[in-house]
Amino acid sequence: MGKHNGFNFMPRQTNHYGRLDRGYWFPGNDKYLLIGFYSGHDSFNKTSNICFQAHLTAQSGRPLNTCSIQLSNTPNSEAYASKKPVIENIMKKLGGFEVSCINKYGLERRWNRYYSTNNYLQCIEEFVSKDKPVIDYIIEQANNPHLGFLEEVQTKQKISSIISRRVL
Protein backbone atom coordinates (compact mmCIF):
# COMPACT_ATOMS: atom_id res chain seq x y z
CA MET A 1 0.00 0.00 0.00
CA GLY A 2 2.94 2.33 -0.33
CA LYS A 3 4.68 4.39 2.29
CA HIS A 4 1.96 4.10 4.94
CA ASN A 5 2.28 0.80 6.77
CA GLY A 6 1.23 1.84 10.28
CA PHE A 7 -2.14 1.39 11.89
CA ASN A 8 -2.85 4.33 14.17
CA PHE A 9 -6.04 5.58 15.77
CA MET A 10 -6.74 8.64 17.84
CA PRO A 11 -8.57 8.47 21.17
CA ARG A 12 -10.36 11.44 22.72
CA GLN A 13 -7.95 14.37 22.82
CA THR A 14 -9.50 16.64 25.44
CA ASN A 15 -11.30 16.24 28.73
CA HIS A 16 -14.26 18.49 27.85
CA TYR A 17 -17.09 18.00 30.31
CA GLY A 18 -14.87 15.56 32.27
CA ARG A 19 -15.48 12.80 29.73
CA LEU A 20 -11.97 11.34 29.97
CA ASP A 21 -12.32 11.29 33.75
CA ARG A 22 -15.54 9.29 33.31
CA GLY A 23 -13.92 6.72 31.00
CA TYR A 24 -15.00 8.00 27.59
CA TRP A 25 -11.72 7.18 25.85
CA PHE A 26 -13.03 8.02 22.37
CA PRO A 27 -15.12 10.91 21.05
CA GLY A 28 -18.80 10.30 21.57
CA ASN A 29 -21.13 9.71 24.49
CA ASP A 30 -23.63 7.06 25.63
CA LYS A 31 -25.26 7.13 22.17
CA TYR A 32 -22.31 6.84 19.80
CA LEU A 33 -18.56 6.28 19.55
CA LEU A 34 -16.15 7.67 16.95
CA ILE A 35 -12.74 6.27 16.10
CA GLY A 36 -10.49 8.44 13.96
CA PHE A 37 -7.77 6.83 11.85
CA TYR A 38 -6.69 9.94 9.93
CA SER A 39 -5.55 13.48 10.62
CA GLY A 40 -7.82 16.32 9.66
CA HIS A 41 -10.91 17.49 11.42
CA ASP A 42 -14.03 19.43 10.64
CA SER A 43 -13.43 22.60 12.64
CA PHE A 44 -17.14 23.44 12.62
CA ASN A 45 -18.38 19.99 13.58
CA LYS A 46 -15.42 19.33 15.93
CA THR A 47 -14.99 15.74 14.67
CA SER A 48 -12.57 13.95 12.39
CA ASN A 49 -13.14 14.37 8.68
CA ILE A 50 -13.00 10.58 8.33
CA CYS A 51 -13.92 8.16 11.09
CA PHE A 52 -15.55 4.87 12.01
CA GLN A 53 -18.76 5.36 13.97
CA ALA A 54 -20.66 2.90 16.17
CA HIS A 55 -24.16 3.88 17.24
CA LEU A 56 -24.66 2.50 20.75
CA THR A 57 -28.39 3.21 20.79
CA ALA A 58 -31.06 2.98 18.12
CA GLN A 59 -30.95 6.27 16.18
CA SER A 60 -32.70 7.77 13.18
CA GLY A 61 -34.69 4.63 12.52
CA ARG A 62 -31.59 2.44 12.66
CA PRO A 63 -31.22 -0.40 15.17
CA LEU A 64 -28.81 -0.67 18.08
CA ASN A 65 -25.13 -1.24 17.18
CA THR A 66 -25.39 0.17 13.67
CA CYS A 67 -21.95 1.14 12.38
CA SER A 68 -20.83 3.44 9.61
CA ILE A 69 -17.97 5.28 8.00
CA GLN A 70 -18.63 8.94 8.68
CA LEU A 71 -17.23 11.69 6.48
CA SER A 72 -17.56 15.29 7.64
CA ASN A 73 -16.56 18.49 5.85
CA THR A 74 -18.66 21.54 6.65
CA PRO A 75 -18.60 24.40 4.12
CA ASN A 76 -16.51 27.29 5.50
CA SER A 77 -14.71 25.04 7.99
CA GLU A 78 -10.91 25.08 8.07
CA ALA A 79 -9.41 23.85 4.76
CA TYR A 80 -12.88 22.87 3.46
CA ALA A 81 -12.01 23.46 -0.21
CA SER A 82 -8.75 21.52 0.05
CA LYS A 83 -10.45 18.50 1.65
CA LYS A 84 -13.54 18.47 -0.56
CA PRO A 85 -12.06 16.53 -3.53
CA VAL A 86 -10.56 13.90 -1.19
CA ILE A 87 -13.89 13.38 0.60
CA GLU A 88 -15.71 13.20 -2.75
CA ASN A 89 -13.20 10.64 -4.06
CA ILE A 90 -13.74 8.42 -0.99
CA MET A 91 -17.51 8.58 -1.52
CA LYS A 92 -17.10 7.74 -5.20
CA LYS A 93 -14.69 4.81 -4.69
CA LEU A 94 -16.51 3.18 -1.77
CA GLY A 95 -20.06 4.10 -2.79
CA GLY A 96 -23.18 3.83 -0.67
CA PHE A 97 -22.86 7.10 1.25
CA GLU A 98 -25.96 9.01 2.26
CA VAL A 99 -26.25 12.55 3.54
CA SER A 100 -26.72 12.61 7.30
CA CYS A 101 -26.46 16.33 8.00
CA ILE A 102 -27.12 19.54 6.08
CA ASN A 103 -26.10 22.98 7.31
CA LYS A 104 -28.52 25.87 7.79
CA TYR A 105 -27.89 27.03 4.21
CA GLY A 106 -28.96 23.70 2.73
CA LEU A 107 -25.41 22.50 1.99
CA GLU A 108 -24.35 18.92 2.74
CA ARG A 109 -21.76 18.61 5.49
CA ARG A 110 -21.80 14.99 6.75
CA TRP A 111 -22.24 11.61 5.07
CA ASN A 112 -22.49 8.05 6.39
CA ARG A 113 -21.96 4.69 4.75
CA TYR A 114 -23.68 2.07 6.89
CA TYR A 115 -22.59 -1.54 7.30
CA SER A 116 -25.12 -4.31 6.73
CA THR A 117 -24.61 -6.10 10.04
CA ASN A 118 -25.36 -4.88 13.56
CA ASN A 119 -22.34 -6.72 14.97
CA TYR A 120 -19.85 -3.94 15.67
CA LEU A 121 -16.89 -6.33 15.72
CA GLN A 122 -17.73 -7.55 12.22
CA CYS A 123 -18.19 -3.93 11.11
CA ILE A 124 -14.81 -2.80 12.38
CA GLU A 125 -13.21 -5.89 10.81
CA GLU A 126 -14.80 -5.03 7.46
CA PHE A 127 -13.71 -1.41 7.80
CA VAL A 128 -10.10 -2.35 8.59
CA SER A 129 -9.77 -5.11 6.00
CA LYS A 130 -11.76 -3.69 3.06
CA ASP A 131 -12.55 0.01 3.39
CA LYS A 132 -9.53 1.43 5.19
CA PRO A 133 -7.07 0.22 2.49
CA VAL A 134 -9.13 2.06 -0.15
CA ILE A 135 -9.22 5.22 1.98
CA ASP A 136 -5.49 4.87 2.73
CA TYR A 137 -4.72 4.73 -0.99
CA ILE A 138 -6.85 7.81 -1.71
CA ILE A 139 -5.22 9.73 1.17
CA GLU A 140 -1.74 8.70 0.04
CA GLN A 141 -2.39 9.72 -3.57
CA ALA A 142 -3.97 13.05 -2.57
CA ASN A 143 -0.94 14.08 -0.48
CA ASN A 144 -3.14 16.72 1.15
CA PRO A 145 -1.51 18.70 4.00
CA HIS A 146 -4.92 19.04 5.73
CA LEU A 147 -6.05 15.42 5.55
CA GLY A 148 -3.60 12.58 6.01
CA PHE A 149 -2.25 9.87 8.26
CA LEU A 150 -1.93 10.12 12.01
CA GLU A 151 1.53 10.38 13.49
CA GLU A 152 2.41 7.33 15.58
CA VAL A 153 4.24 9.36 18.23
CA GLN A 154 1.22 11.62 18.80
CA THR A 155 -1.26 8.73 19.03
CA LYS A 156 0.97 6.83 21.45
CA GLN A 157 1.25 9.93 23.66
CA LYS A 158 -2.54 10.33 23.79
CA ILE A 159 -3.04 6.63 24.54
CA SER A 160 -0.38 6.74 27.29
CA SER A 161 -2.09 9.77 28.80
CA ILE A 162 -5.40 7.91 28.90
CA ILE A 163 -3.83 4.80 30.40
CA SER A 164 -2.31 6.90 33.17
CA ARG A 165 -5.81 8.23 34.02
CA ARG A 166 -7.31 4.78 34.42
CA VAL A 167 -8.19 3.65 37.90
CA LEU A 168 -7.14 0.05 38.31
Side-chain angles (χ1 to χ4, degrees), residues 21-47:
D21 294 335
R22 295 192 324 252
Y24 292 92
W25 309 131
F26 292 92
N29 54 34
D30 291 334
K31 296 179 181 180
Y32 72 95
L33 167 80
L34 297 175
I35 304 172
F37 294 92
Y38 303 95
S39 67
H41 71 283
D42 184 328
S43 59
F44 181 84
N45 195 40
K46 306 233 186 308
T47 60

Side-chain angles (χ1 to χ4, degrees), residues 132-144:
K132 187 175 181 308
V134 173
I135 296 169
D136 286 355
Y137 181 78
I138 292 167
I139 296 288
E140 186 176 309
Q141 294 303 303
N143 196 27
N144 186 313

Side-chain angles (χ1 to χ4, degrees), residues 9-30 32-36 46 155 157-159 161-162 165:
F9 61 89
M10 184 59 73
R12 182 179 294 279
Q13 295 188 50
T14 64
N15 193 28
H16 281 358
Y17 309 111
R19 288 185 177 151
L20 280 172
D21 294 335
R22 295 192 324 252
Y24 292 92
W25 309 131
F26 292 92
N29 54 34
D30 291 334
Y32 72 95
L33 167 80
L34 297 175
I35 304 172
K46 306 233 186 308
T155 60
Q157 287 173 343
K158 292 292 181 185
I159 292 167
S161 173
I162 288 172
R165 289 176 169 274

Side-chain angles (χ1 to χ4, degrees), residues 11-157:
R12 182 179 294 279
Q13 295 188 50
T14 64
N15 193 28
H16 281 358
Y17 309 111
R19 288 185 177 151
L20 280 172
D21 294 335
R22 295 192 324 252
Y24 292 92
W25 309 131
F26 292 92
N29 54 34
D30 291 334
K31 296 179 181 180
Y32 72 95
L33 167 80
L34 297 175
I35 304 172
F37 294 92
Y38 303 95
S39 67
H41 71 283
D42 184 328
S43 59
F44 181 84
N45 195 40
K46 306 233 186 308
T47 60
S48 297
N49 289 114
I50 305 166
C51 60
F52 177 86
Q53 181 176 34
H55 301 274
L56 307 173
T57 61
Q59 293 180 353
S60 304
R62 298 201 181 271
L64 175 69
N65 294 335
T66 301
C67 297
S68 65
I69 298 172
Q70 183 181 86
L71 305 175
S72 181
N73 193 29
T74 303
N76 297 321
S77 65
E78 182 180 312
Y80 165 79
S82 170
K83 297 173 187 176
K84 185 177 179 186
V86 180
I87 298 291
E88 288 174 344
N89 196 11
I90 292 168
M91 286 192 279
K92 179 182 173 188
K93 295 287 186 193
L94 291 178
F97 282 90
E98 55 189 64
V99 177
S100 67
C101 194
I102 297 174
N103 73 5
K104 65 182 178 180
Y105 304 108
L107 300 171
E108 297 175 1
R109 69 182 185 103
R110 193 179 313 140
W111 306 264
N112 286 340
R113 179 178 177 262
Y114 292 94
Y115 289 92
S116 60
T117 180
N118 292 349
N119 180 319
Y120 71 91
L121 292 175
Q122 287 177 356
C123 294
I124 193 76
E125 183 178 331
E126 183 175 338
F127 172 78
V128 169
S129 65
K130 294 180 181 177
D131 299 327
K132 187 175 181 308
V134 173
I135 296 169
D136 286 355
Y137 181 78
I138 292 167
I139 296 288
E140 186 176 309
Q141 294 303 303
N143 196 27
N144 186 313
H146 305 289
L147 191 58
F149 298 107
L150 294 170
E151 296 294 328
E152 185 175 4
V153 171
Q154 183 185 15
T155 60
K156 283 185 176 185
Q157 287 173 343

